Amino acid sequence: MANKQIQEALEWRYAVKKFDPNKKISDKDLNTLLESLKLAPSSYGIQPWKFLVVENPQVREELKPVSWNQSQITDASHQIVLLYRDTIDEAFVQKYINRVAEVRGAPLESLNGYKEMLINNVVKAPEEKIRTWSQRQAYIAMGFLLETAALLKIDTTPMEGFSPSDYDRILKLEGSGWKSIATVTLGYRHAEDSFQNLKKVRFSDDALIEYVK
Ligand SMILES: Cc1cc2nc3c(=O)[nH]c(=O)nc-3n(C[C@H](O)[C@H](O)[C@H](O)COP(=O)(O)O)c2cc1C
């Protein structure tokens, strides 16, 4: 893809306030969007995340009032809730190690050193540190999703304007080790969404980018 097309897609993207409720994302596009989440990088590759595609319209109706009544929750074609792992225990590390062995055809014993390192650096780290670290990983995936959508000319709104504890209750996450951290609504902008006409506000290059020479 040419640089100009990427630039255009990034400028075309904006945080949609009003979606067209009649336009739906195709299965093919949805699949590419989910792949962008899956293929996002995470620290150590451990993927302390999960992505809930909320397909049930009644559940989305329930999520709306705990999302500041933002219309995107019910009007967008799709809603994805990004979850992070609240704590990372040895069982989670083992699950990851097993997956590495399976995908790469490596004997489990050859991964012992890596597993030990993960246990020392992640499992034994202070819980609060891991929680924050885990949340950060979810935001990387969110960035991948937003950019992929823009390249596909699919509109999005990244959203933190909701009550995570209410989401966890409605989505029945309590006790699962997973917690909601952010949500992205996806679909197609409404012709009447005036936000699409606003100029993007970004600091100047000078303020944002410095070169260490
Ligand atoms: C993490 C995050 C959370 C956000 N939460 C909301 C939200 O709850 N509702 C909303 O309408 N916009 C939300 N936004 C959109 C921002 O307000 C918007 O991205 C920002 O003003 C820049 O504008 P632009 O995305 O249109 O370029 C959020 C953006 C991010 C990155």
Side-chain angles (χ1 to χ4, degrees):
M1 182 174 268
N3 299 28
K4 189 165 166 270
Q5 285 169 289
I6 295 172
Q7 181 73 27
E8 278 169 6
L10 294 174
E11 282 172 13
W12 173 86
R13 186 210 62 80
Y14 75 105
V16 170
K17 298 292 170 204
K18 190 176 162 67
F19 280 95
D20 184 336
N22 299 315
K23 292 190 184 158
K24 302 291 174 206
I25 296 172
S26 70
D27 288 347
K28 183 182 166 201
D29 284 346
L30 180 64
N31 187 51
T32 304
L33 294 165
L34 297 177
E35 282 296 307
S36 76
L37 288 167
K38 264 174 60 187
L39 294 171
S42 61
S43 190
Y44 302 118
I46 203 168
Q47 307 154 72
W49 56 41
K50 210 166 189 172
F51 312 108
L52 286 189
V53 185
V54 187
E55 291 193 319
N56 186 324
Q58 275 160 334
V59 174
R60 286 175 60 183
E61 283 294 341
E62 258 187 274
L63 293 174
K64 188 178 171 184
V66 294
S67 313
W68 305 350
N69 273 318
Q70 297 188 77
S71 67
Q72 298 99 316
I73 300 294
T74 43
D75 286 350
S77 166
H78 285 70
Q79 180 182 10
I80 297 177
V81 182
L82 292 97
L83 312 181
Y84 70 97
R85 261 207 96 71
D86 193 28
T87 54
I88 296 186
D89 55 13
E90 206 169 321
F92 189 82
V93 168
Q94 188 62 56
K95 193 173 129 185
Y96 172 56
I97 292 291
N98 291 348
R99 182 70 175 158
V100 176
E102 180 194 342
V103 172
R104 296 197 171 148
L108 271 178
E109 310 80 69
S110 71
L111 298 165
N112 277 346
Y114 193 47
K115 182 179 154 187
E116 277 312 305
M117 186 273 293
L118 287 174
I119 289 171
N120 286 329
N121 290 358
V122 181
V123 179
K124 292 185 180 163
E127 269 192 25
E128 190 47 44
K129 193 175 162 195
I130 288 305
R131 190 168 295 128
T132 315
W133 171 82
S134 201
Q135 292 172 350
R136 285 193 202 127
Q137 312 307 313
Y139 281 87
I140 298 172
M142 179 159 90
F144 267 51
L145 176 64
L146 299 177
E147 172 137 13
T148 303
L151 293 172
L152 288 171
K153 281 266 155 76
I154 291 170
D155 283 302
T156 52
T157 314
M159 302 175 83
E160 276 180 329
F162 66 89
S163 157
S165 59
D166 285 317
Y167 264 49
D168 295 350
R169 176 180 49 79
I170 293 165
L171 297 168
K172 301 187 171 53
L173 297 172
E174 286 154 345
S176 70
W178 298 102
K179 287 196 167 169
S180 53
I181 181 70
T183 188
V184 177
T185 45
L186 307 102
Y188 297 92
R189 61 189 68 175
H190 198 291
E192 286 166 13
D193 185 6
S194 58
F195 281 78
Q196 65 195 290
N197 304 317
L198 294 177
K199 278 200 159 176
K200 276 206 183 299
V201 181
R202 298 295 189 265
F203 287 117
S204 67
D205 286 6
D206 284 1
L208 294 176
I209 299 162
E210 276 191 37
Y211 297 89
V212 179
K213 289 186 175 168

